[in-house]
Amino acid sequence: MPIRNANYSVHSFESEKKIKEILFLEVWTDGSLTPKEALYEASRNLIDLFIPLIPFQSVSLDIEKMTKDVAFKHIFIDQLELPARAYNCLKKVNVHTIADLLTYSEDDLIKIKNFGKKSVEQVLEALRKRFSIQLPKNKNYL
């Protein structure tokens, strides 16, 4: 079996006076496939099982985007392990989560007081390494 172990945890949080939950999954594999591939296959199988139960209608949901939006709102920039200067500059402009950071472009980051080109490069590198995210060069790109 390619899956060696799997764990999950559900965490509740309050958002705009609504109680919401987020699911965290941990998957260990034997290397024949990645945890992401295993989760993808399992979710496809589950969806295939439930499709016959859904009345036919055209529903367009971007599950991956919704998942990222929720997850990035709860991942703090501490996870990027930035140098103190870059971290403190981001905190001063109220960037506390990855979702907050994703509202900025490279040009926006350079405009932050005491946030130089090196700090921008450190942030971009950390986002790329940890989350495979690349910020746009400027807002017009969005």
Side-chain angles (χ1 to χ4, degrees), residues 38-54 59 61-64 67:
L39 185 59
Y40 176 80
E41 285 299 317
S43 63
R44 293 299 312 154
N45 291 340
L46 192 58
I47 289 168
D48 290 343
L49 289 171
F50 281 101
I51 282 179
L53 303 176
I54 299 172
V59 178
L61 291 177
D62 189 351
I63 302 292
E64 187 172 331
T67 304

Side-chain angles (χ1 to χ4, degrees), residues 16-50:
E16 299 172 9
K17 299 194 180 202
K18 292 182 182 177
I19 295 176
K20 297 183 178 182
E21 295 178 332
I22 189 166
L23 172 67
F24 290 98
L25 299 171
E26 295 177 288
V27 179
W28 290 268
T29 69
D30 64 2
S32 63
L33 74 162
T34 66
K36 186 176 182 177
E37 292 169 335
L39 185 59
Y40 176 80
E41 285 299 317
S43 63
R44 293 299 312 154
N45 291 340
L46 192 58
I47 289 168
D48 290 343
L49 289 171
F50 281 101

Side-chain angles (χ1 to χ4, degrees), residues 49-138:
L49 289 171
F50 281 101
I51 282 179
L53 303 176
I54 299 172
F56 180 73
Q57 58 183 328
S58 176
V59 178
S60 175
L61 291 177
D62 189 351
I63 302 292
E64 187 172 331
K65 183 181 181 327
M66 289 177 4
T67 304
K68 285 182 180 178
D69 289 345
V70 170
F72 289 151
K73 286 179 184 175
H74 302 286
I75 300 174
F76 293 94
I77 60 171
D78 308 35
Q79 298 295 316
L80 295 176
E81 297 178 359
L82 296 170
R85 179 185 202 100
Y87 176 80
N88 290 333
C89 287
L90 290 173
K91 285 294 198 179
K92 283 182 183 174
V93 293
N94 290 322
V95 173
H96 302 288
T97 65
I98 301 299
D100 296 337
L101 185 56
L102 294 178
T103 64
Y104 285 77
S105 67
E106 288 183 43
D107 292 343
D108 294 335
L109 291 177
I110 290 174
K111 294 174 186 172
I112 296 172
K113 185 177 179 179
N114 296 326
F115 205 79
K117 189 170 179 81
K118 185 175 181 181
S119 294
V120 171
E121 289 171 2
Q122 291 168 334
V123 167
L124 294 175
E125 179 68 14
L127 282 171
R128 186 185 61 74
K129 273 184 161 177
R130 299 200 194 301
F131 301 106
S132 299
I133 296 174
Q134 186 171 345
L135 291 179
K137 185 79 173 149
N138 56 44

